[in-house]
Amino acid sequence: MTFSVHGLPVARGIAIGRAVLMASSRVDVAHYFIEPGQAATEIERVRTGRNAVVDEIHRLQHTISTMGPKEAPHELAALLDVHLMLLQDEELINGVKHWITDRLYNAEWALTTQLEVLSRQFDDMEDDYLRGRKADLEQVAERILRYMKGVTSPTTPPNVGRRKTQQDLLLDDSMDVPLVMIAHDLSPADMLQFKQSVFAGFVTDVGGRNSHTAIVARSMDIPAVVGARSASQLVRQDDWVIVDGDAGLMIVDPSPIILAEYGFKQRQGELERGRLSRLRHTPAVTLDGQKVELLANIELPEDAPAAVKAGAVGVGLFRSEFLFMGRRGQMPDEEEQYNAYRRAVEGMEGLPMTIRTVDVGADKPLDDSVRDEAHLNPALGLRAIRWSLADPAMFLTQLRAILRAAGHGPVNMLIPMLAHASEIRQTVSLIDFARAELDNRGVAYGPIKLGAMIEIPAAALTLKIFLKYFDFLSIGTNDLIQYTLAIDRSDESVAHLYDPLHPAVLRLVAETIAECNAQGKGVSVCGEMAGDTSLTRLLLGLGLRSFSMHPAQILAVKQEVLRADTSRLVAWAMQVVEAEDPAQAMLAV
Ligand code: PEP
Ligand code: MG
């Protein structure tokens, strides 16, 4: 039966494929693809795990048989019998074998996937007692997972979410079908792991349009929908689904007519992309001769060459925090960071690279398993520059690494989330200190331009202080909107209030651009507004000449730039900013 689930559109395009449900487990589970030759070993790992848990239960049964009914009630023995029965259920093991052999999932992923399949069968049972056994099944699966976690895998996960090679596809026909990842939640780090993945689309139950998970999905240029509430409950493993990333919609079990319609839309999208690719070498200049700088936002050093290829004239935002995530508290040292930044700089072939100092916290936890639940408002807590200043040794390590990388090409250093003059002064003196440390060690480093992000209303309202210390400013509209409107950017329940066109937001953006232009300082927008083609003309009218966005958006924004006449946009843009309903005022051009 065809049905649809609505969410928030995140990354454009249409994906059609089979659902891969990322089961949420209380045990932290790695997800990666194995080589076909490793299937037998992975199956053996699950079998060994299962046998170990069976032995453990046998031992327990023996122990309780020696106890009286007071210490070991009858129910306990019955429960252990149920666990044993579930562990020996062929459907569990056969299902796991299927996911390993046919889909090449690693052992843990295969087990949690089969657990999900069986759990759904229990949910559908009429009998209350049998339905209640789902909890037992989850318990035994978790015991196996915990056992497997204690036993190191002979298969290191080198090819996490890697794209299948043609040879893999030939080995197994079923791999030819595009796969769509459906999960309750995916952290930004999870998402990044899937960057070079087989997945043709993503859907999550939670998340806002500008949550970091959504941003990473957009940077992958793969159709995605977030905030789809109960999607992961409604879809079953292997269901056919369509992800409409433009409309924020997922269609489950589509009829042939719907499939044909979306297949057509998919081809239209590909044609449009082909058409836009012709603009790659066209300079971004408006009809009235204004040069516009189109820069890329990247998450990993390896993204730099792709940014150049997409037509970017530099990187306006390298989110360095992704180097720090998922390392179980082990921070990258100076050498590792220097090498990563150097690779990013060299990947730009002489074009400027803007490295933002680490911005973790709130919806970007260092580790998935260590979400900040201790603080009521993590977005208002110790994140970004506050986190860096709280740990000067860690911050100095990063500063030295960036300064050293600046010896290999043009580098801008960008500081996130500043609000106070005291934070600015501390940051500037730590940068001086990092230089002095390198001088003392006799280590070479290069010049940098220093920039600040304008992400907090307090910063936008005290621009004069910022312009005294910084060479350029970059407006982080994602956070500026969040903090101006008091709307959590990753909470789908208030997503309808997250409004880039709110008059207060537009005023702060307009004044920042105007003040920088008046003082001859560089200013760019690096939040998601910069890559939104419906806002390009407005930002141009407000005087913006530097936009930083996902590489996938660059050509579409360039097309808008080429069609714009800024001399005719200035008065209109001011009217939009001053209107009670800017979205409405934008229509009157
Ligand atoms: C922003 O806040 O607009 C921004 C670019 O930073 P991030 O999205 O990484 O918080
Ligand atoms: Mg930000």
Side-chain angles (χ1 to χ4, degrees):
M1 186 195 65
T2 303
F3 63 94
S4 54
V5 182
H6 292 258
L8 303 164
V10 162
R12 297 166 318 150
I14 308 290
I16 304 174
R18 284 206 184 268
V20 171
L21 277 175
M22 174 77 91
S24 34
S25 158
R26 277 168 287 194
V27 182
D28 197 10
V29 168
H31 301 82
Y32 54 93
F33 291 100
I34 57 165
E35 297 296 334
Q38 293 167 323
T41 323
E42 291 297 283
I43 293 171
E44 197 44 42
R45 287 181 57 222
V46 184
R47 207 187 293 280
T48 313
R50 181 190 64 166
N51 293 345
V53 178
V54 168
D55 288 350
E56 196 183 296
I57 294 182
H58 280 315
R59 276 198 301 279
L60 260 173
Q61 278 179 325
H62 176 72
T63 316
I64 62 172
S65 68
T66 61
M67 296 175 174
K70 253 194 157 167
E71 301 138 293
H74 172 67
E75 291 78 6
L76 185 56
L79 195 71
L80 292 178
D81 286 343
V82 171
H83 281 200
L84 267 186
M85 198 185 71
L86 290 168
L87 277 164
Q88 274 144 4
D89 178 18
E90 279 311 304
E91 235 187 297
L92 180 66
I93 287 295
N94 287 342
V96 169
K97 270 191 202 157
H98 158 69
W99 299 115
I100 294 178
T101 346
D102 299 341
R103 281 288 174 77
L104 300 177
Y105 292 177
N106 64 304
E108 291 84 352
W109 186 3
L111 181 58
T112 48
T113 302
Q114 187 58 14
L115 173 65
E116 184 82 20
V117 170
L118 296 177
S119 297
R120 299 290 170 98
Q121 292 176 7
F122 276 97
D123 283 342
D124 289 345
M125 286 177 181
E126 295 287 326
D127 185 294
D128 278 355
Y129 171 79
L130 289 177
R131 236 188 358 261
R133 302 287 58 80
K134 175 178 152 179
D136 294 307
L137 176 70
E138 284 169 355
Q139 278 178 17
V140 294
E142 278 179 20
R143 285 169 93 144
I144 303 179
L145 285 170
R146 280 186 217 284
Y147 178 85
M148 286 163 64
K149 222 176 161 192
V151 179
T152 34
S153 162
T155 327
T156 42
N159 39 14
V160 174
R162 79 196 156 88
R163 204 175 280 283
K164 291 282 156 198
T165 63
Q166 199 55 34
Q167 191 194 11
D168 293 335
L169 297 178
L170 288 173
L171 277 170
D172 184 347
D173 283 351
S174 68
M175 293 305 298
D176 223 350
V177 179
L179 301 177
V180 172
M181 166 66 81
I182 308 211
H184 176 67
D185 192 10
L186 287 171
S187 70
D190 280 339
M191 206 65 179
L192 207 68
Q193 277 204 335
F194 290 120
K195 200 147 180 148
Q196 284 301 309
S197 78
V198 285
F199 297 109
F202 290 91
V203 178
T204 60
D205 294 346
V206 298
R209 272 206 80 200
N210 287 315
S211 62
H212 286 93
T213 301
I215 288 175
V216 179
R218 214 169 292 146
S219 79
M220 290 159 73
D221 200 21
I222 291 178
V225 172
V226 298
R229 303 289 170 100
S230 46
S232 72
Q233 296 298 314
L234 298 171
V235 181
R236 286 167 190 253
Q237 209 68 250
D238 256 358
D239 274 350
W240 275 100
V241 294
I242 297 175
V243 181
D244 181 343
D246 299 300
L249 183 71
M250 171 173 65
I251 301 170
V252 184
D253 200 9
S255 66
I257 294 184
I258 297 179
L259 263 179
E261 187 191 326
Y262 275 91
F264 177 71
K265 276 193 190 175
Q266 209 176 23
R267 286 190 293 281
Q268 292 289 101
E270 278 155 21
L271 283 176
E272 170 69 5
R273 280 173 204 229
R275 207 172 51 73
L276 279 177
S277 69
R278 297 190 196 148
L279 297 180
R280 189 163 109 61
H281 298 292
T282 311
V285 181
T286 62
L287 290 174
D288 56 324
Q290 295 285 318
K291 281 198 190 129
V292 178
E293 187 180 47
L294 300 181
L295 305 165
N297 291 354
I298 64 168
E299 279 86 32
L300 293 173
E302 291 67 40
D303 297 337
V308 178
K309 209 163 155 219
V313 295
V315 162
L317 173 65
F318 171 13
R319 290 183 163 97
S320 69
E321 52 272 17
F322 285 93
L323 294 174
F324 290 67
M325 289 181 186
R327 305 171 60 104
R328 303 184 189 277
Q330 196 77 45
M331 296 294 113
D333 64 16
E334 183 181 323
E335 263 340 273
E336 182 181 343
Q337 289 190 57
Y338 162 64
N339 285 322
Y341 303 143
R342 180 179 171 169
R343 275 202 313 283
V345 171
E346 290 177 344
M348 292 308 291
E349 298 165 17
L351 295 170
M353 163 61 66
T354 307
I355 304 173
R356 178 174 72 181
T357 59
V358 64
D359 179 0
V360 288
D363 71 329
K364 276 186 290 193
L366 272 181
D367 282 298
D368 287 355
S369 48
V370 204
R371 295 221 177 218
D372 186 356
E373 271 149 20
H375 299 100
L376 278 181
N377 292 305
L380 303 183
L382 197 67
R383 63 167 282 211
I385 189 64
R386 302 168 184 182
W387 191 77
S388 297
L389 292 176
D391 188 347
M394 185 279 306
F395 193 32
L396 281 166
T397 305
Q398 178 169 42
L399 295 176
R400 288 192 303 271
I402 297 175
L403 289 168
R404 287 173 61 190
H408 301 277
V411 167
N412 305 319
M413 189 192 285
L414 185 57
I415 314 293
M417 284 271 296
L418 288 162
H420 301 265
S422 59
E423 290 171 320
I424 300 177
R425 286 192 294 268
Q426 273 184 68
T427 304
V428 170
S429 57
L430 280 169
I431 296 171
D432 289 341
F433 191 78
R435 283 196 190 95
E437 285 183 314
L438 290 173
D439 285 335
N440 284 343
R441 275 168 38 193
V443 174
Y445 59 91
I448 52 154
K449 280 198 191 138
L450 187 61
M453 291 194 68
I454 301 297
E455 307 189 87
I456 301 182
L461 295 168
T462 51
L463 288 172
K464 289 208 165 46
I465 304 175
F466 280 75
L467 290 173
K468 184 173 148 199
Y469 290 94
F470 292 99
D471 302 314
F472 69 98
L473 300 182
S474 185
I475 311 175
T477 48
N478 307 335
D479 277 318
L480 189 60
I481 298 167
Q482 153 163 277
Y483 295 125
T484 305
L485 303 180
I487 300 298
D488 184 340
R489 61 194 269 193
S490 49
D491 183 348
E492 71 280 4
S493 66
V494 283
H496 59 292
L497 297 172
Y498 185 94
D499 181 12
L501 289 177
H502 189 290
V505 173
L506 289 183
R507 224 170 98 188
L508 295 175
V509 171
E511 284 171 8
T512 305
I513 297 170
E515 187 71 28
C516 287
N517 285 345
Q519 293 208 25
K521 293 264 180 155
V523 59
S524 69
V525 168
C526 63
E528 299 298 288
M529 281 178 82
D532 182 342
T533 49
S534 70
L535 301 176
T536 311
R537 286 166 358 112
L538 178 63
L539 292 171
L540 285 171
L542 296 177
L544 189 74
R545 297 292 180 266
S546 175
F547 296 63
S548 193
M549 68 203 83
H550 303 296
Q553 279 301 102
I554 287 180
L555 296 180
V557 171
K558 192 186 275 187
Q559 178 169 263
E560 289 297 312
V561 169
L562 296 174
R563 290 172 178 166
D565 179 346
T566 60
S567 63
R568 300 175 62 165
L569 292 175
V570 178
W572 165 77
M574 275 332 288
Q575 275 168 21
V576 171
V577 172
E578 274 154 26
E580 183 179 321
D581 183 350
Q584 186 64 32
M586 275 183 75
L587 302 175
V589 62

